[in-house]
Amino acid sequence: MLVASILLLFVQFASYFCFDVSEYLQRFLSYHRNISFYYEAEPDCEIASVLINDDTRYPSIKIFATGGTIASSGDSTTSNAGYSVNLTITDLLDNIPELSNVAKLTYQQIYNLGSNELTSLHVVKLRNEILQSLSDNSGVVITHGTDTLEETAFFLELTLNSCKPVVITGSMRPRTSLLYDGLMNLYMAVSVASDKSSTNRGVLVALNDRVISGIYATKSNSNSLDTFKNDEQGTLGIFVDDTINWFVQLPYKHLIAGKFADSKHLLNIEHGFQLPEVLILFGYQSVNIELIELAANHLNLKGIVLAGTGSGSWTDHGNMALKRLSGQFNIPIIYSTRNSNGIVPVGNLPKGNFAYSRAIAAGYLNPQKARILLQLCIIEGYSIEEISSVFKLVSGGSRS
Ligand SMILES: *[C@@H]1O[C@H](CO)[C@@H](O)[C@H](O)[C@H]1NC(C)=O
Ligand SMILES: *[C@@H]1O[C@H](CO)[C@@H](O)[C@H](O)[C@H]1NC(C)=O
């Protein structure tokens, strides 16, 4: 009813100014009637293919190499620690001739670092390069260290809005290891990015046969090859015997995916650029609340994320300090949890005398992802109410 009235108003308004409304109306209608499927058939999702050898067309895939274990060498074939990044994307691709039957590849060594060294400058730069290259390619693959891979994947989910596959991969063993997983993971990532069925699924994390959503993916094991998981939300698909097999058949798009794709603040960034300062505080027995005071007074904080105990609990003493400091500095406080599964519901936010208006529940977002979502809200200049409405898009999140 509301939509119909708005439409009517729009048509009247448009006719009054004598411009052709049919195109706008058609777009509006096709978008809204297909609201649950709108991710299925977008025109810019034509697979850009490239003619090779006069007769075979291959999808064109651009690889962005950033470093990580996948580009590292160790001291021996059995060592699995203390190795360092010293290989480039060409060193890896030279060893996967099979890829010439999968895609037409171009590549860019955007930097070459372990992902523990990455800052928001690196990640925003990567995002902007991907944004530019998506129009000329069928999809994008990123090689990345696994330590903070989930943060980059989540950031890209929030700041890109393309139906084309953006697939991020890495490895858990260095190139020198007997059990090097990098070549197969890279082969898999390019194969997934090249497959038409991978469109409209957002950012995909592809390692160790498994394809999972960049929204939920998290590193679950510090050493094992089988580390990227999202237990509760499930695997999207599995790459077996050269084929991507999807468990989730419908086009998949999360409510917060692409939420910041139109941000102007991420473009044309300068050398010293960093996302706003948001600190993560870890909860444990006898946690020293003075940490909160010190941080708020000395770090020019724009927000705090709590890695609380259980479903986001914090101490009463701490909640009183947070209530006071969030008012004094006008900063949001996001309640997340130190546990790797489950959610922080609004029902577990501080109550009674401890309740305060800048407290927001992180829902299922772990602290490092809640931090990224908050940083993007802050850089956009969102009010507390607007930040709260963004966290409402995260199941269980926001405030009552
Ligand atoms: C909705 O989507 C289907 C399938 O993609 C398409 O055939 C149909 O024309 C669309 N409807 C509208 C109103 O655009
Ligand atoms: C990388 O480091 C390994 C181990 O230290 C060494 O054997 C290898 O020659 C280096 N490779 C390059 C390309 O520098």
Side-chain angles (χ1 to χ4, degrees), residues 184 187-188 191 195 209 238-245:
M184 188 59 203
Y187 176 82
M188 170 189 171
S191 300
D195 201 301
D209 304 346
I238 191 159
F239 188 76
V240 174
D241 199 24
D242 240 339
T243 308
I244 173 69
N245 305 276

Side-chain angles (χ1 to χ4, degrees), residues 281-285 306-310 312 336-341 344 367:
L281 285 171
F282 201 84
Y284 43 88
Q285 291 180 348
L306 303 173
T309 55
S336 179
T337 172
R338 67 184 198 179
N339 301 329
S340 52
N341 265 314
V344 173

Side-chain angles (χ1 to χ4, degrees), residues 150 215-221 227-233 282 307-312 336-344 363-369:
E150 69 187 84
I215 295 275
Y216 301 117
T218 194
K219 188 172 186 178
S220 66
N221 189 302
T227 179
F228 280 91
K229 291 190 181 162
N230 47 350
D231 290 349
E232 303 289 3
Q233 298 89 5
F282 201 84
T309 55
S311 54
S336 179
T337 172
R338 67 184 198 179
N339 301 329
S340 52
N341 265 314
I343 69 168
V344 173
Y364 60 75
L365 291 181
N366 66 21
Q368 56 272 36
K369 292 187 188 194

Side-chain angles (χ1 to χ4, degrees), residues 26-27 29-35 37-38 40-41:
Q26 270 172 20
R27 254 197 252 155
L29 278 176
S30 64
Y31 181 88
H32 285 274
R33 277 199 211 143
N34 271 344
I35 198 89
F37 299 108
Y38 77 95
E40 200 170 26

Side-chain angles (χ1 to χ4, degrees), residues 126-198:
L126 173 66
R127 176 264 182 185
N128 290 344
E129 293 284 340
I130 294 171
L131 193 62
Q132 279 194 6
S133 66
L134 275 170
S135 50
D136 305 331
N137 290 284
S138 305
V140 159
V141 166
I142 303 143
T143 60
H144 200 285
T146 57
D147 284 4
T148 66
L149 187 150
E150 69 187 84
E151 288 172 64
T152 299
F154 186 69
F155 182 84
L156 295 177
E157 278 273 26
L158 297 180
T159 60
L160 294 171
N161 192 16
S162 173
C163 52
K164 296 179 179 176
V166 173
V167 184
I168 183 162
T169 192
S171 79
M172 288 300 287
R173 295 285 191 273
R175 179 74 183 100
T176 39
S177 168
L178 286 174
L179 196 53
Y180 180 53
D181 48 335
L183 298 183
M184 188 59 203
N185 281 347
L186 181 52
Y187 176 82
M188 170 189 171
V190 173
S191 300
V192 170
S194 305
D195 201 301
K196 212 167 184 158
S197 70
S198 302

Side-chain angles (χ1 to χ4, degrees), residues 191-309:
S191 300
V192 170
S194 305
D195 201 301
K196 212 167 184 158
S197 70
S198 302
T199 55
N200 304 319
R201 294 177 188 266
V203 174
L204 301 171
V205 175
L207 282 96
N208 205 39
D209 304 346
R210 198 178 276 132
V211 182
I212 52 185
S213 154
I215 295 275
Y216 301 117
T218 194
K219 188 172 186 178
S220 66
N221 189 302
S222 307
N223 323 105
S224 166
L225 268 58
D226 191 26
T227 179
F228 280 91
K229 291 190 181 162
N230 47 350
D231 290 349
E232 303 289 3
Q233 298 89 5
T235 297
L236 294 182
I238 191 159
F239 188 76
V240 174
D241 199 24
D242 240 339
T243 308
I244 173 69
N245 305 276
W246 298 105
F247 298 133
V248 178
Q249 295 298 345
L250 285 172
Y252 167 87
K253 194 196 182 195
H254 194 280
L255 286 172
I256 54 174
K259 181 82 189 156
F260 300 90
D262 298 327
S263 170
K264 305 240 180 322
H265 302 278
L266 301 174
L267 301 171
N268 306 318
I269 50 164
E270 287 174 8
H271 187 68
F273 174 88
Q274 287 299 309
L275 288 173
E277 184 75 72
V278 172
L279 189 77
I280 297 176
L281 285 171
F282 201 84
Y284 43 88
Q285 291 180 348
S286 308
V287 59
N288 189 337
I289 296 312
E290 273 181 50
L291 278 173
I292 301 173
E293 304 269 356
L294 286 169
N297 283 303
H298 295 283
L299 292 181
N300 190 25
L301 290 185
K302 299 290 185 279
I304 296 177
V305 174
L306 303 173
T309 55

Side-chain angles (χ1 to χ4, degrees), residues 72-75 84 86-87 91 176:
S72 293
S73 309
D75 294 335
S84 50
N86 76 346
L87 302 171
D91 294 326
T176 39

